[in-house]
Amino acid sequence: MRETFTKGMARNIYYGGAVFFFLVLIGLTVDTVNRLPETDNSQNMTELVIEGKRLWEENNCIGCHTLLGEGAYFAPELGNVYTRFGEDTENIKAFIKYRPVEGIPNRRSMPQFNLTDEQLEALAQFLKYVDGIKTARNWPPNVQG
Amino acid sequence: MKYESQGVAKLYFIAAIALFVGQILFGVTMGLQYVIGDFLFPEIPFNVARMVHTNLLIVWLLFGFMGSAYYLVPEEAERELFAPWLAKLMFWIFLVAGALTILSYLLVPYARLAELTMNDLLPTMGREFLEQPTITKIGIVIVALAFIFNIGMTVLTGRKTVINLVLLTGLVGLAVFFLFSFYNPDNLVMDKYFWWFVVHLWVEGVWELIMASLLAYVLIKVTGVDREVIEKWLYIIIAMALISGLVGTGHHFFWIGAPDYWQWLGSVFSALEPIPFFMMTLFAFNVVNKRRRDHPNKAAVLWALGTAVMAFLGAGVWGFLHTLAPVNYYTHGTQITAAHGHMAFYGAYVMVVLTMISYSMPIMRGQKAGNIKAQVVEMWSFWLMTISMVFITLFLTGAGIAQVYLQRYSDDPLPFMVVQEKIAIFYWLREAAGLVFLIGLILYIYSFFAKGKEVEFVEG
Amino acid sequence: MNAEELELKRASLSALASLLNLTVLPVIGFIFLLFLYKQTQAQTIGRYYAVLGIKINLAAAIALIIVTGLMLLLGGFYSPWTWVFVISYFVFVHALFILVATWILVRSWTGKKLTTTFL
Ligand code: HEM
Ligand code: HEM
Ligand SMILES: [Fe+2]
């Protein structure tokens, strides 16, 4: 690098740039949080949905599945599973409930979590709520996720 | 070794390498589960193996960063470590806490672990990479605070070099952004949004400061190039990292329910993110080319150059590949993501830690550089691990492209599981490459025990 | 600036133009490179790097545009497997060219030639 570009200048770009863009990120974050109610489906966030989210976490579902494209890539996307399962929470509940304990020979299998009916209902409601989040361009691209 | 207390780094590095082995063993386990679905089911379900794999990665990289800081900071500050005993104490606390957490993943069903650790009091578990029980997270914070106090006091009461200050800033940032892992709102969109304040602002923010300063330190040592020149590079690299990376977080806000403007902001700023990685390559090439001496530790020079190149490939090129919103619309959450994640983590953070170990371990063991045989073995392990990681990335990229086409792009999209079976060949190939990686890692460990002719050191 | 310094400057500019042509300024970078080539004198370091840059970029054009074009032609536009090969190949080989051009740029700054030349 040329001598006209000094270490002091480089340092100032670092400090100035870092502080400036950090403030920009904070500003954008405030704006985003303010606008979220338009898209985040929070009007349907019932107690049951919140319990469902906790169950989702405490059974580490994200360790195999993606949810709105984030998570693991071993098993199908679940952000739109409510749509894929014919917009019926009963189908979701039945699927989770009847997983064989020993798995399906030779295939990737989902564990049997031994959930109660109330817990199944909460999880299914949570997945229904997630399906209602308004993602940009209606992501995922199609029903297969 | 100039200062006695630098020696604590050795403990940290040994633990880091041991956990690295664990990480890879679970990696190849999962690789097999990808193609033989019922392998180890239901004893070790995929999600458990994955938690072990990724959490071990993070924990051993943290061990590596801490060890590197304990080694580097006293030498730069020209004084002993502020409290060597504290560094040793924290080592054991972190090791025991880390080991217990990993064991609990394997021995107790996750839901039971959540119950035992009273997750309901402050629910933080069950989010990708942040699966640790809340109590472990608190432990991490305590260890991090003690560590930063120790390093901070050493830096502030000693010679303040640019390398030390940048490293310290990076480490403080690491600890501060980790605090977002305690924030788990019920609103899923908010949860996802702030989750990235840990994950993205780590790997594409403050960790780049850590990486750049470690690389700068080793390059000064092995090339003898003037410190002024290196510091100027260091500043401009980290400036570009933060200028692009902070707002670049937006490349994760495209499809999670956040406002549409993120598609523009995220695309534009994250498209600039390869620049700091490219500059690291330019920087490393430049100072090695202008070196004032030929350091006897050839292996360390190789690792340093390898880090710069592979970080550029993994983070810069493979990151850019899927970072523009119109592309990410199709690739989001596919094997393309996994391909990028592997090469970026390996190229940037695994390799920079191995560079530090390669440079400092011989010195801590009373030599200037490893003996000739040890270095040859180490360089073999470099090539085996690095080339197999390139292949892992290429196979996953192939799998990802096919997946996108069949499942998302074609007029007649196929279900996820159907597609997975169609692309199984890529997973078999990935598994084969993973086994080569494991062989490379075993050779790497052997290199510390190999006996041979000592190298001669000629000061230039 | 004397003649020697001018050639050194052209050498590093040529190396830069070649890297730019491979990255953010395709075509424009190449035109700039040709322009630099015309300015340089024979047997100088400037000429050496201008020629090297042109060679590298021609090689890249063949490897990237022609080979990918052939892959598309032979594999068919509507087969997923074509895209698997085309995209992986393009990204990887393109990155390798960028790395080589970066090394050449760094060498040009020292005013020396490459120690080994592949082209
Ligand atoms: C060498 C053999 C390895 C194999 C076979 C392997 C395999 C895997 C598999 C199957 C996954 C889960 C993907 C999914 O969610 O479906 C994964 C995730 C991951 N692995 Fe590895 N891995 C290996 C080495 C490594 C190394 C060396 C690193 C770090 C440098 C690494 C870092 C990661 C990361 C960061 C993830 C999470 C990826 C994401 O969320 O996108 N792995 N690995
Ligand atoms: C060393 C630095 C980097 C590391 C270690 C890294 C690692 C990762 C990992 C592990 C993920 C997957 C996260 C998840 O599980 O959801 C990811 C995602 C992503 N990364 Fe990086 N990354 C780095 C740099 C970059 C850069 C420089 C770019 C852009 C140029 C980038 C672009 C992306 C994008 C767009 C995604 C989201 C993929 C998706 O939509 O599924 N990354 N990265
Ligand atoms: Fe990111």
Side-chain angles (χ1 to χ4, degrees):
Chain A
M1 270 182 274
R2 303 278 172 281
E3 293 314 310
T4 45
F5 185 74
T6 62
K7 189 171 100 185
M9 287 153 83
R11 188 185 53 218
N12 292 342
I13 298 178
Y14 165 57
Y15 285 126
V19 171
F20 179 76
F21 283 102
F22 191 62
L23 293 176
V24 171
L25 179 62
I26 293 177
L28 288 166
T29 297
V30 171
D31 183 70
T32 298
V33 170
N34 284 334
R35 286 168 192 245
L36 277 192
E38 295 166 24
T39 50
D40 67 6
N41 198 17
S42 44
Q43 68 278 12
N44 290 319
M45 226 172 74
T46 58
E47 282 302 312
L48 207 55
V49 166
I50 293 172
E51 195 200 323
K53 177 168 187 275
R54 196 94 323 127
L55 284 163
W56 166 269
E57 290 163 3
E58 293 186 347
N59 289 286
N60 191 227
C61 309
I62 202 83
C64 289
H65 295 276
T66 45
L67 189 67
L68 299 185
E70 294 169 4
Y73 322 113
F74 188 69
E77 163 70 34
L78 296 183
N80 67 340
V81 67
Y82 177 68
T83 309
R84 194 161 55 244
F85 277 23
E87 310 206 342
D88 187 349
T89 49
E90 291 307 316
N91 293 343
I92 300 179
K93 282 159 68 177
F95 186 89
I96 304 173
K97 188 167 176 178
Y98 296 112
R99 295 295 93 202
V101 178
E102 291 299 318
I104 306 164
N106 263 316
R107 278 181 46 90
R108 297 185 195 172
S109 316
M110 176 158 145
Q112 171 53 262
F113 292 104
N114 298 314
L115 302 173
T116 64
D117 284 341
E118 292 78 61
Q119 290 176 321
L120 286 170
E121 180 63 24
L123 259 176
Q125 290 301 328
F126 169 68
L127 291 172
K128 180 180 172 187
Y129 144 81
V130 178
D131 204 340
I133 292 172
K134 285 203 193 66
T135 55
R137 295 183 63 192
N138 261 325
W139 197 93
N142 64 57
V143 70
Q144 303 298 359
Chain B
M1 209 164 57
K2 273 206 189 120
Y3 298 91
E4 193 59 36
S5 53
Q6 286 178 283
V8 292
K10 203 166 157 185
L11 276 180
Y12 282 80
F13 288 156
I14 292 172
I17 295 171
L19 298 176
F20 185 17
V21 176
Q23 184 216 336
I24 298 308
L25 289 176
F26 279 87
V28 292
T29 304
M30 278 192 291
L32 208 52
Q33 289 179 327
Y34 245 84
V35 277
I36 304 179
D38 61 352
F39 179 61
L40 293 182
F41 191 89
E43 286 73 30
I44 305 182
F46 179 85
N47 66 311
V48 171
R50 192 182 201 270
M51 270 193 299
V52 175
H53 180 67
T54 56
N55 289 18
L56 277 175
L57 168 68
I58 296 170
V59 170
W60 87 255
L61 289 180
L62 292 180
F63 269 114
F65 290 163
M66 290 198 260
S68 303
Y70 284 134
Y71 184 84
L72 171 163
V73 166
E75 192 167 315
E76 286 282 300
E78 294 185 334
R79 56 154 294 167
E80 292 287 351
L81 201 59
F82 184 74
W85 64 271
L86 186 61
K88 281 198 192 119
L89 178 69
M90 285 303 137
F91 169 80
W92 290 108
I93 293 181
F94 196 42
L95 187 65
V96 171
L100 279 180
T101 303
I102 300 292
L103 282 177
S104 66
Y105 290 161
L106 289 166
L107 299 177
V108 190
Y110 193 70
R112 181 87 184 104
L113 183 63
E115 203 180 307
L116 285 173
T117 56
M118 293 179 283
N119 188 50
D120 277 340
L121 291 182
L122 176 60
T124 66
M125 291 173 73
R127 293 169 303 150
E128 195 194 357
F129 305 130
L130 306 180
E131 293 94 348
Q132 313 80 25
T134 305
I135 177 90
T136 305
K137 290 198 181 82
I138 296 173
I140 294 175
V141 171
I142 292 172
V143 170
L145 285 181
F147 161 70
I148 286 172
F149 170 74
N150 206 351
I151 291 292
M153 289 306 284
T154 315
V155 170
L156 297 178
T157 57
R159 182 175 70 137
K160 296 181 194 56
T161 65
V162 176
I163 289 184
N164 258 358
L165 292 174
V166 172
L167 179 62
L168 184 62
T169 319
L171 293 168
V172 171
L174 184 156
V176 168
F177 287 118
F178 184 67
L179 295 179
F180 280 97
S181 73
F182 291 93
Y183 180 58
N184 179 13
D186 292 332
N187 182 327
L188 184 76
V189 181
M190 291 273 280
D191 174 8
K192 284 180 171 291
Y193 188 93
F194 287 103
W195 179 82
W196 287 110
F197 276 52
V198 186
V199 179
H200 172 97
L201 292 181
W202 266 10
V203 298
E204 290 154 75
V206 288
W207 285 25
E208 281 185 62
L209 270 58
I210 298 172
M211 175 190 172
S213 57
L214 298 182
L215 202 57
Y217 168 81
V218 174
L219 285 172
I220 288 184
K221 294 291 164 181
V222 296
T223 65
V225 167
D226 192 18
R227 193 176 270 275
E228 276 295 303
V229 177
I230 290 198
E231 289 174 345
K232 194 167 26 170
W233 276 98
L234 181 55
Y235 269 130
I236 201 73
I237 287 170
I238 59 174
M240 285 319 296
L242 295 182
I243 289 171
S244 63
L246 287 166
V247 180
T249 321
H251 63 182
H252 303 294
F253 302 155
F254 298 156
W255 325 114
I256 60 168
D260 286 350
Y261 56 66
W262 282 113
Q263 306 211 14
W264 286 103
L265 284 171
S267 297
V268 169
F269 279 88
S270 69
L272 303 175
E273 282 183 39
I275 294 174
F277 290 100
F278 175 73
M279 292 188 65
M280 278 192 239
T281 312
L282 196 59
F283 163 56
F285 280 6
N286 190 28
V287 296
V288 169
N289 195 29
K290 289 197 175 133
R291 66 186 175 275
R292 298 241 179 94
R293 58 165 174 253
D294 279 316
H295 197 275
N297 193 339
K298 297 257 185 324
V301 181
L302 182 64
W303 279 111
L305 284 173
T307 305
V309 168
M310 293 297 290
F312 169 63
L313 286 182
V317 177
W318 256 260
F320 184 76
L321 177 64
H322 62 163
T323 206
L324 301 175
V327 176
N328 194 261
Y329 177 74
Y330 290 106
T331 62
H332 182 46
T334 62
Q335 297 297 326
I336 304 271
T337 311
H340 155 70
H342 276 87
M343 205 198 241
F345 255 110
Y346 175 77
Y349 302 118
V350 170
M351 288 184 85
V352 81
V353 168
L354 298 188
T355 303
M356 270 303 291
I357 295 180
S358 179
Y359 171 73
S360 65
M361 240 354 190
I363 302 176
M364 285 191 279
R365 297 167 87 198
Q367 305 156 302
K368 189 86 195 178
N371 65 60
I372 293 182
K373 174 147 178 241
Q375 286 203 39
V376 170
V377 176
E378 190 181 339
M379 290 198 241
W380 266 94
S381 77
F382 168 94
W383 288 110
L384 280 178
M385 287 196 275
T386 304
I387 292 178
S388 59
M389 188 44 90
V390 169
F391 277 99
I392 289 178
T393 308
L394 286 173
F395 294 143
L396 289 179
T397 306
I401 297 167
Q403 181 187 11
V404 165
Y405 195 100
L406 298 170
Q407 183 191 318
R408 292 200 173 148
Y409 188 76
S410 91
D411 295 331
D412 180 21
L414 299 173
F416 179 92
M417 291 306 294
V418 173
V419 173
Q420 292 300 305
E421 270 172 34
K422 285 195 187 292
I423 60 181
I425 176 72
F426 291 107
Y427 298 136
W428 280 110
L429 292 168
R430 182 266 302 267
E431 182 66 350
L435 290 173
V436 177
F437 191 101
L438 183 60
I439 295 171
L441 180 55
I442 294 168
L443 265 190
Y444 178 70
I445 291 169
Y446 171 64
S447 77
F448 291 95
F449 303 99
K451 305 237 173 334
K453 197 167 148 274
E454 292 303 322
V455 289
E456 284 155 38
F457 186 59
V458 207
E459 190 74 51
Chain C
M1 239 187 258
N2 62 33
E4 202 176 327
E5 280 171 345
L6 257 174
E7 285 298 339
L8 275 177
K9 196 169 162 147
R10 285 181 193 136
S12 63
L13 276 178
S14 302
L16 183 65
S18 130
L19 180 62
L20 287 177
N21 189 49
L22 282 166
T23 50
V24 289
L25 289 179
V27 185
I28 301 175
F30 198 72
I31 295 170
F32 187 44
L33 192 54
L34 290 177
F35 173 75
L36 280 164
Y37 170 81
K38 284 198 68 173
Q39 284 195 334
T40 54
Q41 311 291 316
Q43 306 290 330
T44 62
I45 192 77
R47 173 63 63 87
Y48 173 80
Y49 275 99
V51 170
L52 190 59
I54 291 171
K55 281 186 185 165
I56 279 277
N57 277 285
L58 288 179
I62 294 172
L64 293 174
I65 302 172
I66 304 207
V67 174
T68 342
L70 279 177
M71 282 165 123
L72 276 174
L73 221 66
L74 297 177
F77 209 75
Y78 296 101
S79 157
W81 310 109
T82 309
W83 292 104
V84 165
F85 286 107
V86 166
I87 298 175
S88 319
Y89 169 85
F90 188 90
V91 172
F92 188 62
V93 174
H94 192 189
L96 292 185
F97 273 104
I98 294 176
L99 285 169
V100 171
T102 306
W103 179 256
I104 292 175
L105 176 64
V106 161
R107 281 303 282 186
S108 78
W109 289 348
T110 60
K112 293 194 201 104
K113 297 185 178 179
L114 295 186
T115 40
T116 39
T117 317
F118 307 96
L119 289 165

